[in-house]
């Protein structure tokens, strides 16, 4: 259940980047994920898979296109950020589904991102986020619970904005870069 026209939106987004029409694009790759009821088990996974398959196609497309005359690809010069506005609870509710959860994850790929890793963790009980060292990404009981603003600050640093011009008041999650 991708949003109507999501593959076309994805193609248009890549075209906008590589043709210099835009330096930043945003698309919705999955929808109808707010499943609190018993169909959660059968519907949520396939909907997520269609969205992640579309993201994989975008990344493959970027990897297949040469960036100007550099020998690099557009993937090497593009940062892709995937996230949702909230996560899903770890427990099945009384309706057989999963409710909203304040903790979440995001996926980063592309230029400047040290990929191939999972950073952070959740506790075995309650699935609470664990503190990490923002420089290494290692679990650290004296560290910081990562919030979206830590990721955003890291992306700002990646873009060459070292100062906290957005006044987020946090250090960048440097382990991402």
């Amino acid at each position: 259940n991708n949003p109507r026209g999501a593959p076309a939106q994805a193609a248009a987004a890549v075209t906008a980047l590589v043709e210099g029409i835009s330096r930043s694009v945003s698309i919705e790759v999955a929808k109808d994920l707010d499943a609190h009821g018993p169909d959660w088990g059968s519907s949520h996974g396939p909907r997520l898979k269609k969205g992640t398959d579309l993201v994989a196609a975008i990344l493959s497309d970027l990897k297949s296109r040469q960036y100007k005359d550099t020998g690099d690809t557009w993937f090497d010069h593009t940062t892709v950020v995937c996230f949702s506005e909230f996560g899903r609870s770890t427990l099945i509710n009384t309706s057989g589904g999963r409710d909203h959860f304040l903790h979440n994850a995001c996926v980063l790929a592309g230029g400047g991102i040290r990929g191939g890793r999972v950073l952070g963790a959740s506790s075995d009980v309650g699935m609470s986020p664990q503190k990490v060292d923002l420089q290494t990404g290692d679990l650290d009981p004296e560290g910081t619970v990562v919030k979206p603003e830590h990721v955003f600050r890291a992306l700002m640093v990646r873009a060459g904005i070292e100062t906290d011009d957005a006044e987020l008041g946090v250090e960048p999650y440097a382990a991402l870069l």
Side-chain angles (χ1 to χ4, degrees):
N1 260 356
N2 278 359
R4 177 174 248 161
Q9 289 176 19
V14 170
T15 299
L17 290 172
V18 302
E19 296 297 326
I21 297 167
S22 179
R23 295 188 66 197
S24 176
V25 295
S26 175
I27 65 169
E28 179 181 44
V29 298
K31 68 182 243 174
D32 297 329
L33 299 175
D34 198 11
H36 296 272
D39 68 334
W40 178 86
S42 61
S43 65
H44 201 78
R47 290 176 184 151
L48 280 175
K49 184 176 182 333
K50 286 181 182 178
T52 56
D53 287 349
L54 187 56
V55 171
I58 291 168
L59 297 177
S60 293
D61 193 358
L62 291 170
K63 288 178 180 179
S64 73
R65 296 176 186 243
Q66 183 176 355
Y67 181 78
K68 302 180 182 178
D69 292 323
T70 64
D72 291 342
T73 68
W74 271 91
F75 178 82
D76 300 320
H77 292 268
T78 304
T79 302
V80 177
V81 181
C82 302
F83 64 92
S84 177
E85 71 272 22
F86 59 83
R88 285 283 173 215
S89 70
T90 58
L91 303 174
I92 302 294
N93 65 24
T94 58
S95 299
R98 293 184 187 252
D99 293 324
H100 299 181
F101 199 56
L102 294 178
H103 308 299
N104 205 346
C106 71
V107 174
L108 300 170
I113 302 299
R114 289 184 19 204
R117 305 169 302 142
V118 174
L119 297 176
S122 55
S123 65
D124 292 337
V125 177
M127 300 299 287
S128 296
Q130 300 300 291
K131 293 179 178 181
V132 300
D133 179 305
L134 293 175
Q135 297 302 310
T136 66
D138 295 335
L139 295 180
D140 179 356
E142 303 301 317
T144 303
V145 171
V146 175
K147 297 178 181 175
E149 48 266 35
H150 293 102
V151 175
F152 184 63
R153 279 281 287 126
L155 295 174
M156 289 172 59
V157 168
R158 170 67 181 116
I161 304 168
E162 296 285 338
T163 58
D164 188 7
D165 293 339
E167 297 182 6
L168 297 172
V170 299
E171 292 297 314
Y173 195 4
L176 299 172
L177 308 177

